[in-house]
Amino acid sequence: DTGVSQDPRHKITKRGQNVTFRCDPISEHNRLYWYRQTLGQGPEFLTYFQNEAQLEKSRLLSDRFSAERPKGSFSTLEIQRTEQGDSAMYLCASSPNQGRQETQYFGPGTRLLVL
Amino acid sequence: RKEVEQDPGPFNVPEGATVAFNCTYSNSASQSFFWYRQDCRKEPKLLMSVYSSGNEDGRFTAQLNRASQYISLLIRDSKLSDSATYLCVVEYNFNKFYFGSGTKLNVKP
């Protein structure tokens, strides 16, 4: 399968713990996005990478959230000191950087539950 | 005000019906427009891009009205397999994408 993959698919953690999610984009896609989706809502933009450079961060991304894409391939999203309000689906998407009207290809998501 | 607004539905229609969804966006500088489909507990997948001149893909027709800042999706001859949530997506500031909350469609036999 050469699509976007995310790991883990599910994560249950206790409030205050740190969690890290991984995203492997489609190879040769140099744009990578992180979104958060809660029930009944569409995905909300969190951050975006062009290769290894983090070009945009939403104000939704508090200081407890950090994302990296060290070699311009896979990316990690870390949440420190998790709160119950962090419970959501975290989606990763990649796109090939071919100009306008770009298709984003989404991974299956990591579903986080903070108890 | 949200960047992208959609009627959440649900739209409950019989097989074979024609159904239309609208979506409005707030930023007149928006550059690109899309409809994505999301099945329950699955990731969103691109249904179609929306071009200024309007475009059609089989039973699906998308229209863009820049003056009124809305996008529409028309589905003809609905199939049971069309049941899903349809997400309107707007891009501006180059590569910043805003999703609507989605419109849920239920196609009944």
mmCIF file of all heavy atoms in Angstrom, chain B residues 7-51:
data_model
loop_
_atom_site.group_PDB
_atom_site.id
_atom_site.type_symbol
_atom_site.label_atom_id
_atom_site.label_comp_id
_atom_site.label_asym_id
_atom_site.label_seq_id
_atom_site.Cartn_x
_atom_site.Cartn_y
_atom_site.Cartn_z
ATOM 1 N N ASP B 7 -24.711 23.331 5.528
ATOM 2 C CA ASP B 7 -25.877 22.779 6.203
ATOM 3 C C ASP B 7 -25.505 21.371 6.651
ATOM 4 O O ASP B 7 -25.128 20.543 5.825
ATOM 5 C CB ASP B 7 -27.053 22.741 5.216
ATOM 6 C CG ASP B 7 -28.325 22.199 5.837
ATOM 7 O OD1 ASP B 7 -28.260 21.560 6.921
ATOM 8 O OD2 ASP B 7 -29.389 22.398 5.239
ATOM 9 N N PRO B 8 -25.592 21.063 7.950
ATOM 10 C CA PRO B 8 -25.150 19.743 8.420
ATOM 11 C C PRO B 8 -26.054 18.589 7.988
ATOM 12 O O PRO B 8 -25.652 17.431 8.024
ATOM 13 C CB PRO B 8 -25.145 19.896 9.941
ATOM 14 C CG PRO B 8 -26.122 20.992 10.207
ATOM 15 C CD PRO B 8 -26.015 21.933 9.054
ATOM 16 N N GLY B 9 -27.294 18.921 7.576
ATOM 17 C CA GLY B 9 -28.235 17.870 7.221
ATOM 18 C C GLY B 9 -28.756 17.183 8.483
ATOM 19 O O GLY B 9 -28.835 17.817 9.539
ATOM 20 N N PRO B 10 -29.106 15.906 8.440
ATOM 21 C CA PRO B 10 -28.893 15.026 7.293
ATOM 22 C C PRO B 10 -29.941 15.224 6.195
ATOM 23 O O PRO B 10 -31.050 15.638 6.459
ATOM 24 C CB PRO B 10 -29.020 13.625 7.905
ATOM 25 C CG PRO B 10 -29.945 13.807 9.055
ATOM 26 C CD PRO B 10 -29.680 15.189 9.590
ATOM 27 N N PHE B 11 -29.507 14.954 4.984
ATOM 28 C CA PHE B 11 -30.405 14.896 3.854
ATOM 29 C C PHE B 11 -30.766 13.416 3.668
ATOM 30 O O PHE B 11 -29.890 12.595 3.445
ATOM 31 C CB PHE B 11 -29.725 15.416 2.577
ATOM 32 C CG PHE B 11 -29.594 16.909 2.516
ATOM 33 C CD1 PHE B 11 -28.852 17.600 3.469
ATOM 34 C CD2 PHE B 11 -30.199 17.642 1.510
ATOM 35 C CE1 PHE B 11 -28.722 18.992 3.411
ATOM 36 C CE2 PHE B 11 -30.076 19.026 1.444
ATOM 37 C CZ PHE B 11 -29.340 19.699 2.395
ATOM 38 N N ASN B 12 -32.046 13.129 3.816
ATOM 39 C CA ASN B 12 -32.520 11.753 3.638
ATOM 40 C C ASN B 12 -33.279 11.684 2.322
ATOM 41 O O ASN B 12 -34.324 12.328 2.172
ATOM 42 C CB ASN B 12 -33.434 11.344 4.800
ATOM 43 C CG ASN B 12 -32.694 11.366 6.126
ATOM 44 O OD1 ASN B 12 -31.637 10.767 6.269
ATOM 45 N ND2 ASN B 12 -33.249 12.069 7.110
ATOM 46 N N VAL B 13 -32.750 10.953 1.356
ATOM 47 C CA VAL B 13 -33.358 10.918 0.034
ATOM 48 C C VAL B 13 -33.508 9.476 -0.419
ATOM 49 O O VAL B 13 -32.750 8.601 -0.008
ATOM 50 C CB VAL B 13 -32.513 11.707 -0.996
ATOM 51 C CG1 VAL B 13 -32.341 13.166 -0.536
ATOM 52 C CG2 VAL B 13 -31.179 11.065 -1.253
ATOM 53 N N PRO B 14 -34.500 9.198 -1.296
ATOM 54 C CA PRO B 14 -34.633 7.845 -1.840
ATOM 55 C C PRO B 14 -33.627 7.637 -2.964
ATOM 56 O O PRO B 14 -33.144 8.592 -3.590
ATOM 57 C CB PRO B 14 -36.064 7.829 -2.372
ATOM 58 C CG PRO B 14 -36.348 9.246 -2.714
ATOM 59 C CD PRO B 14 -35.576 10.096 -1.742
ATOM 60 N N GLU B 15 -33.326 6.389 -3.223
ATOM 61 C CA GLU B 15 -32.473 6.050 -4.370
ATOM 62 C C GLU B 15 -33.048 6.686 -5.634
ATOM 63 O O GLU B 15 -34.263 6.710 -5.832
ATOM 64 C CB GLU B 15 -32.470 4.532 -4.580
ATOM 65 C CG GLU B 15 -31.392 3.797 -3.873
ATOM 66 C CD GLU B 15 -31.360 2.322 -4.267
ATOM 67 O OE1 GLU B 15 -32.323 1.613 -3.921
ATOM 68 O OE2 GLU B 15 -30.400 1.921 -4.931
ATOM 69 N N GLY B 16 -32.166 7.169 -6.473
ATOM 70 C CA GLY B 16 -32.605 7.752 -7.731
ATOM 71 C C GLY B 16 -32.904 9.236 -7.660
ATOM 72 O O GLY B 16 -33.058 9.894 -8.697
ATOM 73 N N ALA B 17 -32.961 9.779 -6.465
ATOM 74 C CA ALA B 17 -33.274 11.203 -6.312
ATOM 75 C C ALA B 17 -32.076 12.066 -6.702
ATOM 76 O O ALA B 17 -30.927 11.606 -6.752
ATOM 77 C CB ALA B 17 -33.663 11.490 -4.867
ATOM 78 N N THR B 18 -32.382 13.327 -6.960
ATOM 79 C CA THR B 18 -31.347 14.341 -7.163
ATOM 80 C C THR B 18 -31.262 15.182 -5.902
ATOM 81 O O THR B 18 -32.287 15.577 -5.347
ATOM 82 C CB THR B 18 -31.691 15.225 -8.372
ATOM 83 O OG1 THR B 18 -31.665 14.416 -9.555
ATOM 84 C CG2 THR B 18 -30.687 16.354 -8.523
ATOM 85 N N VAL B 19 -30.057 15.421 -5.449
ATOM 86 C CA VAL B 19 -29.875 16.181 -4.209
ATOM 87 C C VAL B 19 -28.768 17.212 -4.428
ATOM 88 O O VAL B 19 -27.816 16.966 -5.172
ATOM 89 C CB VAL B 19 -29.545 15.244 -3.025
ATOM 90 C CG1 VAL B 19 -28.250 14.486 -3.244
ATOM 91 C CG2 VAL B 19 -29.535 15.992 -1.713
ATOM 92 N N ALA B 20 -28.946 18.365 -3.793
ATOM 93 C CA ALA B 20 -27.952 19.438 -3.951
ATOM 94 C C ALA B 20 -27.527 19.955 -2.591
ATOM 95 O O ALA B 20 -28.351 20.121 -1.686
ATOM 96 C CB ALA B 20 -28.548 20.577 -4.787
ATOM 97 N N PHE B 21 -26.228 20.213 -2.461
ATOM 98 C CA PHE B 21 -25.667 20.806 -1.245
ATOM 99 C C PHE B 21 -25.025 22.140 -1.605
ATOM 100 O O PHE B 21 -24.408 22.264 -2.662
ATOM 101 C CB PHE B 21 -24.557 19.923 -0.646
ATOM 102 C CG PHE B 21 -24.914 18.493 -0.454
ATOM 103 C CD1 PHE B 21 -24.017 17.495 -0.794
ATOM 104 C CD2 PHE B 21 -26.137 18.129 0.072
ATOM 105 C CE1 PHE B 21 -24.323 16.161 -0.609
ATOM 106 C CE2 PHE B 21 -26.460 16.792 0.253
ATOM 107 C CZ PHE B 21 -25.555 15.807 -0.095
ATOM 108 N N ASN B 22 -25.154 23.077 -0.689
ATOM 109 C CA ASN B 22 -24.464 24.345 -0.859
ATOM 110 C C ASN B 22 -23.466 24.558 0.262
ATOM 111 O O ASN B 22 -23.588 23.970 1.342
ATOM 112 C CB ASN B 22 -25.464 25.506 -0.853
ATOM 113 C CG ASN B 22 -26.273 25.564 -2.127
ATOM 114 O OD1 ASN B 22 -25.801 25.164 -3.183
ATOM 115 N ND2 ASN B 22 -27.499 26.043 -2.020
ATOM 116 N N CYS B 23 -22.537 25.428 -0.006
ATOM 117 C CA CYS B 23 -21.490 25.739 0.955
ATOM 118 C C CYS B 23 -21.130 27.202 0.728
ATOM 119 O O CYS B 23 -21.014 27.634 -0.435
ATOM 120 C CB CYS B 23 -20.313 24.810 0.669
ATOM 121 S SG CYS B 23 -18.728 25.350 1.286
ATOM 122 N N THR B 24 -20.982 27.970 1.786
ATOM 123 C CA THR B 24 -20.553 29.365 1.628
ATOM 124 C C THR B 24 -19.208 29.555 2.298
ATOM 125 O O THR B 24 -18.876 28.867 3.277
ATOM 126 C CB THR B 24 -21.576 30.335 2.248
ATOM 127 O OG1 THR B 24 -21.753 30.014 3.630
ATOM 128 C CG2 THR B 24 -22.911 30.247 1.535
ATOM 129 N N TYR B 25 -18.432 30.476 1.774
ATOM 130 C CA TYR B 25 -17.122 30.755 2.349
ATOM 131 C C TYR B 25 -16.982 32.252 2.572
ATOM 132 O O TYR B 25 -17.600 33.061 1.885
ATOM 133 C CB TYR B 25 -15.989 30.207 1.472
ATOM 134 C CG TYR B 25 -15.929 30.755 0.064
ATOM 135 C CD1 TYR B 25 -15.114 31.829 -0.260
ATOM 136 C CD2 TYR B 25 -16.684 30.173 -0.945
ATOM 137 C CE1 TYR B 25 -15.050 32.332 -1.546
ATOM 138 C CE2 TYR B 25 -16.631 30.660 -2.240
ATOM 139 C CZ TYR B 25 -15.817 31.735 -2.535
ATOM 140 O OH TYR B 25 -15.772 32.231 -3.816
ATOM 141 N N SER B 26 -16.159 32.609 3.547
ATOM 142 C CA SER B 26 -16.135 34.005 3.992
ATOM 143 C C SER B 26 -15.029 34.842 3.357
ATOM 144 O O SER B 26 -15.142 36.065 3.313
ATOM 145 C CB SER B 26 -15.990 34.060 5.520
ATOM 146 O OG SER B 26 -14.782 33.442 5.918
ATOM 147 N N ASN B 27 -13.975 34.193 2.879
ATOM 148 C CA ASN B 27 -12.822 34.952 2.399
ATOM 149 C C ASN B 27 -12.843 35.071 0.879
ATOM 150 O O ASN B 27 -12.680 34.072 0.172
ATOM 151 C CB ASN B 27 -11.527 34.285 2.864
ATOM 152 C CG ASN B 27 -10.311 35.175 2.662
ATOM 153 O OD1 ASN B 27 -10.202 35.885 1.657
ATOM 154 N ND2 ASN B 27 -9.391 35.145 3.600
ATOM 155 N N SER B 28 -13.039 36.277 0.394
ATOM 156 C CA SER B 28 -13.143 36.479 -1.052
ATOM 157 C C SER B 28 -11.822 36.206 -1.772
ATOM 158 O O SER B 28 -11.800 36.066 -2.983
ATOM 159 C CB SER B 28 -13.603 37.910 -1.348
ATOM 160 O OG SER B 28 -12.677 38.838 -0.808
ATOM 161 N N ALA B 29 -10.727 36.115 -1.021
ATOM 162 C CA ALA B 29 -9.426 35.827 -1.633
ATOM 163 C C ALA B 29 -9.181 34.335 -1.796
ATOM 164 O O ALA B 29 -8.090 33.930 -2.210
ATOM 165 C CB ALA B 29 -8.311 36.446 -0.787
ATOM 166 N N SER B 30 -10.171 33.524 -1.480
ATOM 167 C CA SER B 30 -10.004 32.077 -1.607
ATOM 168 C C SER B 30 -9.628 31.701 -3.028
ATOM 169 O O SER B 30 -10.117 32.293 -3.993
ATOM 170 C CB SER B 30 -11.298 31.369 -1.195
ATOM 171 O OG SER B 30 -11.594 31.654 0.151
ATOM 172 N N GLN B 31 -8.774 30.694 -3.129
ATOM 173 C CA GLN B 31 -8.158 30.414 -4.428
ATOM 174 C C GLN B 31 -8.631 29.119 -5.068
ATOM 175 O O GLN B 31 -8.786 29.039 -6.276
ATOM 176 C CB GLN B 31 -6.632 30.355 -4.245
ATOM 177 C CG GLN B 31 -6.034 31.672 -3.859
ATOM 178 C CD GLN B 31 -4.887 31.528 -2.880
ATOM 179 O OE1 GLN B 31 -4.784 30.573 -2.144
ATOM 180 N NE2 GLN B 31 -4.024 32.526 -2.863
ATOM 181 N N SER B 32 -8.793 28.105 -4.259
ATOM 182 C CA SER B 32 -9.157 26.800 -4.802
ATOM 183 C C SER B 32 -10.271 26.195 -3.959
ATOM 184 O O SER B 32 -10.391 26.496 -2.773
ATOM 185 C CB SER B 32 -7.952 25.850 -4.794
ATOM 186 O OG SER B 32 -6.886 26.378 -5.543
ATOM 187 N N PHE B 33 -11.037 25.329 -4.603
ATOM 188 C CA PHE B 33 -12.249 24.812 -3.978
ATOM 189 C C PHE B 33 -12.398 23.330 -4.301
ATOM 190 O O PHE B 33 -12.056 22.902 -5.403
ATOM 191 C CB PHE B 33 -13.472 25.585 -4.491
ATOM 192 C CG PHE B 33 -13.307 27.078 -4.392
ATOM 193 C CD1 PHE B 33 -12.725 27.790 -5.424
ATOM 194 C CD2 PHE B 33 -13.714 27.760 -3.256
ATOM 195 C CE1 PHE B 33 -12.549 29.160 -5.329
ATOM 196 C CE2 PHE B 33 -13.544 29.127 -3.149
ATOM 197 C CZ PHE B 33 -12.962 29.827 -4.186
ATOM 198 N N PHE B 34 -12.903 22.602 -3.323
ATOM 199 C CA PHE B 34 -12.987 21.147 -3.476
ATOM 200 C C PHE B 34 -14.223 20.628 -2.759
ATOM 201 O O PHE B 34 -14.703 21.233 -1.806
ATOM 202 C CB PHE B 34 -11.767 20.462 -2.834
ATOM 203 C CG PHE B 34 -10.435 21.013 -3.256
ATOM 204 C CD1 PHE B 34 -9.897 22.113 -2.620
ATOM 205 C CD2 PHE B 34 -9.718 20.417 -4.277
ATOM 206 C CE1 PHE B 34 -8.661 22.628 -2.999
ATOM 207 C CE2 PHE B 34 -8.483 20.915 -4.655
ATOM 208 C CZ PHE B 34 -7.951 22.018 -4.017
ATOM 209 N N TRP B 35 -14.659 19.461 -3.173
ATOM 210 C CA TRP B 35 -15.581 18.644 -2.389
ATOM 211 C C TRP B 35 -14.864 17.341 -2.044
ATOM 212 O O TRP B 35 -14.295 16.679 -2.927
ATOM 213 C CB TRP B 35 -16.856 18.332 -3.164
ATOM 214 C CG TRP B 35 -17.813 19.482 -3.247
ATOM 215 C CD1 TRP B 35 -18.008 20.320 -4.288
ATOM 216 C CD2 TRP B 35 -18.726 19.894 -2.213
ATOM 217 N NE1 TRP B 35 -18.978 21.251 -3.985
ATOM 218 C CE2 TRP B 35 -19.425 21.011 -2.718
ATOM 219 C CE3 TRP B 35 -19.028 19.443 -0.925
ATOM 220 C CZ2 TRP B 35 -20.417 21.675 -1.977
ATOM 221 C CZ3 TRP B 35 -19.996 20.101 -0.196
ATOM 222 C CH2 TRP B 35 -20.676 21.201 -0.718
ATOM 223 N N TYR B 36 -14.886 17.009 -0.758
ATOM 224 C CA TYR B 36 -14.359 15.738 -0.283
ATOM 225 C C TYR B 36 -15.519 14.927 0.258
ATOM 226 O O TYR B 36 -16.524 15.471 0.729
ATOM 227 C CB TYR B 36 -13.324 15.944 0.840
ATOM 228 C CG TYR B 36 -11.925 16.221 0.347
ATOM 229 C CD1 TYR B 36 -11.609 17.438 -0.255
ATOM 230 C CD2 TYR B 36 -10.917 15.280 0.500
ATOM 231 C CE1 TYR B 36 -10.323 17.695 -0.704
ATOM 232 C CE2 TYR B 36 -9.622 15.528 0.059
ATOM 233 C CZ TYR B 36 -9.340 16.734 -0.536
ATOM 234 O OH TYR B 36 -8.061 16.984 -0.981
ATOM 235 N N ARG B 37 -15.353 13.631 0.234
ATOM 236 C CA ARG B 37 -16.334 12.713 0.783
ATOM 237 C C ARG B 37 -15.683 12.003 1.966
ATOM 238 O O ARG B 37 -14.519 11.599 1.903
ATOM 239 C CB ARG B 37 -16.719 11.705 -0.295
ATOM 240 C CG ARG B 37 -17.560 10.575 0.198
ATOM 241 C CD ARG B 37 -17.640 9.440 -0.784
ATOM 242 N NE ARG B 37 -18.233 8.294 -0.120
ATOM 243 C CZ ARG B 37 -19.280 7.616 -0.579
ATOM 244 N NH1 ARG B 37 -19.812 7.962 -1.744
ATOM 245 N NH2 ARG B 37 -19.768 6.600 0.085
ATOM 246 N N GLN B 38 -16.463 11.848 3.053
ATOM 247 C CA GLN B 38 -15.957 11.124 4.215
ATOM 248 C C GLN B 38 -16.976 10.106 4.671
ATOM 249 O O GLN B 38 -18.097 10.474 5.045
ATOM 250 C CB GLN B 38 -15.602 12.087 5.361
ATOM 251 C CG GLN B 38 -14.907 11.397 6.531
ATOM 252 C CD GLN B 38 -14.353 12.383 7.553
ATOM 253 O OE1 GLN B 38 -14.865 13.483 7.714
ATOM 254 N NE2 GLN B 38 -13.296 11.984 8.259
ATOM 255 N N ASP B 39 -16.602 8.847 4.620
ATOM 256 C CA ASP B 39 -17.448 7.795 5.151
ATOM 257 C C ASP B 39 -17.230 7.709 6.660
ATOM 258 O O ASP B 39 -16.201 8.132 7.187
ATOM 259 C CB ASP B 39 -17.116 6.468 4.474
ATOM 260 C CG ASP B 39 -17.509 6.491 3.010
ATOM 261 O OD1 ASP B 39 -18.730 6.553 2.744
ATOM 262 O OD2 ASP B 39 -16.624 6.478 2.149
ATOM 263 N N CYS B 40 -18.214 7.100 7.320
ATOM 264 C CA CYS B 40 -18.192 7.037 8.786
ATOM 265 C C CYS B 40 -16.894 6.419 9.286
ATOM 266 O O CYS B 40 -16.511 5.321 8.859
ATOM 267 C CB CYS B 40 -19.403 6.245 9.271
ATOM 268 S SG CYS B 40 -19.634 6.326 11.046
ATOM 269 N N ARG B 41 -16.193 7.132 10.157
ATOM 270 C CA ARG B 41 -14.972 6.669 10.812
ATOM 271 C C ARG B 41 -13.843 6.384 9.813
ATOM 272 O O ARG B 41 -12.936 5.591 10.080
ATOM 273 C CB ARG B 41 -15.250 5.430 11.667
ATOM 274 C CG ARG B 41 -16.327 5.672 12.725
ATOM 275 C CD ARG B 41 -16.518 4.482 13.615
ATOM 276 N NE ARG B 41 -15.414 4.319 14.561
ATOM 277 C CZ ARG B 41 -15.312 4.962 15.710
ATOM 278 N NH1 ARG B 41 -16.220 5.854 16.056
ATOM 279 N NH2 ARG B 41 -14.281 4.741 16.507
ATOM 280 N N LYS B 42 -13.908 7.040 8.655
ATOM 281 C CA LYS B 42 -12.849 6.907 7.664
ATOM 282 C C LYS B 42 -12.254 8.285 7.377
ATOM 283 O O LYS B 42 -12.781 9.296 7.808
ATOM 284 C CB LYS B 42 -13.398 6.331 6.358
ATOM 285 C CG LYS B 42 -13.992 4.956 6.489
ATOM 286 C CD LYS B 42 -12.923 3.912 6.515
ATOM 287 C CE LYS B 42 -13.533 2.521 6.359
ATOM 288 N NZ LYS B 42 -12.480 1.478 6.410
ATOM 289 N N GLU B 43 -11.152 8.283 6.614
ATOM 290 C CA GLU B 43 -10.532 9.546 6.264
ATOM 291 C C GLU B 43 -11.259 10.204 5.097
ATOM 292 O O GLU B 43 -11.879 9.524 4.280
ATOM 293 C CB GLU B 43 -9.048 9.339 5.913
ATOM 294 C CG GLU B 43 -8.780 8.630 4.606
ATOM 295 C CD GLU B 43 -8.771 7.109 4.745
ATOM 296 O OE1 GLU B 43 -9.343 6.572 5.716
ATOM 297 O OE2 GLU B 43 -8.182 6.497 3.836
ATOM 298 N N PRO B 44 -11.158 11.535 4.969
ATOM 299 C CA PRO B 44 -11.742 12.208 3.807
ATOM 300 C C PRO B 44 -11.014 11.808 2.516
ATOM 301 O O PRO B 44 -9.799 11.588 2.513
ATOM 302 C CB PRO B 44 -11.493 13.695 4.092
ATOM 303 C CG PRO B 44 -11.190 13.782 5.537
ATOM 304 C CD PRO B 44 -10.538 12.484 5.912
ATOM 305 N N LYS B 45 -11.793 11.745 1.435
ATOM 306 C CA LYS B 45 -11.202 11.468 0.124
ATOM 307 C C LYS B 45 -11.746 12.472 -0.872
ATOM 308 O O LYS B 45 -12.931 12.826 -0.823
ATOM 309 C CB LYS B 45 -11.536 10.037 -0.325
ATOM 310 C CG LYS B 45 -10.846 8.986 0.520
ATOM 311 C CD LYS B 45 -11.078 7.591 0.003
ATOM 312 C CE LYS B 45 -10.314 6.594 0.874
ATOM 313 N NZ LYS B 45 -10.564 5.193 0.481
ATOM 314 N N LEU B 46 -10.890 12.910 -1.783
ATOM 315 C CA LEU B 46 -11.311 13.896 -2.762
ATOM 316 C C LEU B 46 -12.419 13.342 -3.644
ATOM 317 O O LEU B 46 -12.291 12.259 -4.228
ATOM 318 C CB LEU B 46 -10.121 14.307 -3.646
ATOM 319 C CG LEU B 46 -10.466 15.331 -4.730
ATOM 320 C CD1 LEU B 46 -10.765 16.690 -4.094
ATOM 321 C CD2 LEU B 46 -9.339 15.450 -5.748
ATOM 322 N N LEU B 47 -13.510 14.094 -3.743
ATOM 323 C CA LEU B 47 -14.586 13.756 -4.670
ATOM 324 C C LEU B 47 -14.331 14.482 -5.995
ATOM 325 O O LEU B 47 -14.298 13.878 -7.053
ATOM 326 C CB LEU B 47 -15.928 14.150 -4.078
ATOM 327 C CG LEU B 47 -17.158 13.901 -4.934
ATOM 328 C CD1 LEU B 47 -17.378 12.408 -5.138
ATOM 329 C CD2 LEU B 47 -18.396 14.527 -4.310
ATOM 330 N N MET B 48 -14.192 15.795 -5.902
ATOM 331 C CA MET B 48 -13.871 16.571 -7.091
ATOM 332 C C MET B 48 -13.394 17.961 -6.730
ATOM 333 O O MET B 48 -13.745 18.503 -5.692
ATOM 334 C CB MET B 48 -15.079 16.652 -8.037
ATOM 335 C CG MET B 48 -16.325 17.261 -7.474
ATOM 336 S SD MET B 48 -17.810 16.876 -8.443
ATOM 337 C CE MET B 48 -17.382 17.460 -10.070
ATOM 338 N N SER B 49 -12.547 18.499 -7.595
ATOM 339 C CA SER B 49 -12.186 19.906 -7.500
ATOM 340 C C SER B 49 -13.317 20.722 -8.118
ATOM 341 O O SER B 49 -14.124 20.197 -8.894
ATOM 342 C CB SER B 49 -10.895 20.175 -8.256
ATOM 343 O OG SER B 49 -9.837 19.437 -7.695
ATOM 344 N N VAL B 50 -13.388 21.983 -7.758
ATOM 345 C CA VAL B 50 -14.435 22.861 -8.281
ATOM 346 C C VAL B 50 -13.770 23.976 -9.058
ATOM 347 O O VAL B 50 -12.963 24.730 -8.496
ATOM 348 C CB VAL B 50 -15.288 23.453 -7.135
ATOM 349 C CG1 VAL B 50 -16.454 24.252 -7.714
ATOM 350 C CG2 VAL B 50 -15.785 22.365 -6.205
ATOM 351 N N TYR B 51 -14.099 24.085 -10.321
ATOM 352 C CA TYR B 51 -13.485 25.092 -11.183
ATOM 353 C C TYR B 51 -14.474 26.222 -11.439
ATOM 354 O O TYR B 51 -15.696 26.045 -11.354
ATOM 355 C CB TYR B 51 -13.028 24.451 -12.494
ATOM 356 C CG TYR B 51 -12.005 23.372 -12.279
ATOM 357 C CD1 TYR B 51 -12.342 22.025 -12.427
ATOM 358 C CD2 TYR B 51 -10.705 23.687 -11.903
ATOM 359 C CE1 TYR B 51 -11.404 21.026 -12.212
ATOM 360 C CE2 TYR B 51 -9.763 22.699 -11.684
ATOM 361 C CZ TYR B 51 -10.117 21.376 -11.841
ATOM 362 O OH TYR B 51 -9.186 20.393 -11.619
#
